[in-house]
DNA sequence: AGTAGCCAACTAACTAGTTGGTTTGCCGTT
DNA sequence: AACGGCAAACCAACTAGTTAGTTGGCTACT
């Protein structure tokens, strides 16, 4: 029937893994959510573990495409990244599961993307003053932290985050 | 024999849960790590789920005792909290697992402790200027973020964290 | 006698992964 | 239009291993 079966499986698996993690997810449930049957999962992705890896890579790519880095406007970038996280809580959960259940495994996409960000930042700000990698680390730490400990009022959080990054940059 | 069997079980369970999470942990493995046998686990703690809750509560208490809040020296508090996290990575993992596998469940200890912190902060800084809860939120966000995305050099991270919180406070 | 503990086997349910047989739509050939 | 092959997909049962939780019988200390 539909030629998009692998896509449907990936999406269903993303939901299931985001909710329950790798160990808690059930292959039968993924098949049911995808409106497909189990053998298709094993035919396309081999195993539960491989499916998990594919899902995480797939979603990371979507994140990196959706929130382009802006070395000139770091506070704006931080806010946009936080907003994306706020709008896609299941992606945040998926990345946390990955960090916990695949300890020490770095994702190729995010590593190379990070290197590009540092280079762009250095090009804009020059080599003097704060090292670019440490500045970027502080900005991302703020975004991650704010994402994990969401304040009650998003408007305040947005303003606070923007202000905090502005102070870091200035 | 030893009357500290419940304690040994709690410690072994903390290790197992920190490594594998609730869904990934195995009761038999906990018993083996504790040098005890399974029935003692069920006799003392009832079920795997209840054991998980007890472990998390137990460790949260240890954290709150080990790192007392200091409303006067927020940068120092932030650094001490980060250092504790750095020295106890398994506790960080345990809390992340708890956040993921028990969504929406707040821990009574940490909620009341948080309220005490906000009150102490308000008492020191007065009601003018930045609201105490938002300031504390920013500080904790920084610590959490730095903990999750550890820079390569701890000395730099320490200095950056101290500086960032100082700028927030000032 | 009673309490805390150990050992080992057991149950009942669950789960990743497999297999056999069947259906459906597509595409080139006749 | 009719035919034959082919790949994607479905259904359902099955295997084999795992796992939370239980039970019964035994030991040791107090």
């Amino acid at each position: 029937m539909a030629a998009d079966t692998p896509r449907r499986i990936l999406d269903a698996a993303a939901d299931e893994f985001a909710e329950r993690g790798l160990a808690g997810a059930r292959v039968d449930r993924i098949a049911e959510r995808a409106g497909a049957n189990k053998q298709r999962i094993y035919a396309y992705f081999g195993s539960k573990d491989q499916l998990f890896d594919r899902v995480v890579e797939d979603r990371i790519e979507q994140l990196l495409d959706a929130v382009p880095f802006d070395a000139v406007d770091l506070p704006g970038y931080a806010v946009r990244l936080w907003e994306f996280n706020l709008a896609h809580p299941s992606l945040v959960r998926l990345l946390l599961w990955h960090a916990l259940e695949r300890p020490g495994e770095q994702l190729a996409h995010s590593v190379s993307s990070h290197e590009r960000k540092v280079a762009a930042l250095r090009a804009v700000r020059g080599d003097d003053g704060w090292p670019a990698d440490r500045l970027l680390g502080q900005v991302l730490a703020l975004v991650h932290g704010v994402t994990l400990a969401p304040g009650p009022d998003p408007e305040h959080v947005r303003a606070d985050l923007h202000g905090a990054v502005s102070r870091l940059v200035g």
Side-chain angles (χ1 to χ4, degrees), chain A:
Chain A
M1 295 269 193
D4 60 340
T5 306
R7 180 76 261 161
R8 290 204 324 276
I9 293 175
L10 273 180
D11 290 341
D15 290 344
E16 174 78 5
F17 284 133
E19 280 176 23
R20 319 236 186 188
L22 175 54
R26 296 292 165 248
V27 177
D28 294 272
R29 216 150 38 202
I30 293 174
E32 195 185 357
R33 292 174 96 136
N37 63 334
K38 238 190 331 180
Q39 309 89 319
R40 291 295 96 198
I41 293 178
Y42 288 98
Y44 284 122
F45 301 100
S47 71
K48 188 187 178 186
D49 279 41
Q50 287 175 286
L51 176 59
F52 182 70
D53 292 340
R54 289 284 296 275
V55 165
V56 174
E57 281 174 36
D58 178 65
R59 294 285 140 137
I60 275 286
E61 232 169 319
Q62 293 187 12
L63 163 66
L64 294 178
D65 287 349
V67 187
F69 184 62
D70 184 349
V72 179
D73 176 23
L74 276 185
Y77 169 69
V79 167
R80 282 188 292 276
L81 187 54
W82 166 74
E83 282 170 344
F84 186 90
N85 286 343
L86 196 68
H88 301 85
S90 74
L91 176 53
V92 176
R93 289 177 59 87
L94 191 65
L95 295 184
L96 282 176
W97 285 118
H98 181 263
L100 285 172
E101 299 193 293
R102 288 253 191 280
E105 273 188 36
Q106 301 270 29
L107 295 161
H109 280 292
S110 70
V111 168
S112 65
S113 165
H114 191 269
E115 285 165 4
R116 273 196 305 276
K117 283 172 193 149
V118 172
L121 203 51
R122 221 188 313 263
V124 167
R125 299 174 54 93
D127 272 337
D128 53 326
W130 259 49
D133 55 341
R134 285 167 62 191
L135 177 57
L136 181 61
Q138 287 291 309
V139 171
L140 293 180
L142 256 176
V143 173
H144 292 158
V146 169
T147 299
L148 286 190
D153 184 352
E155 283 308 317
H156 281 164
V157 174
R158 188 198 324 272
D160 289 350
L161 177 60
H162 195 280
V165 176
S166 299
R167 250 162 292 171
L168 283 179
V169 176

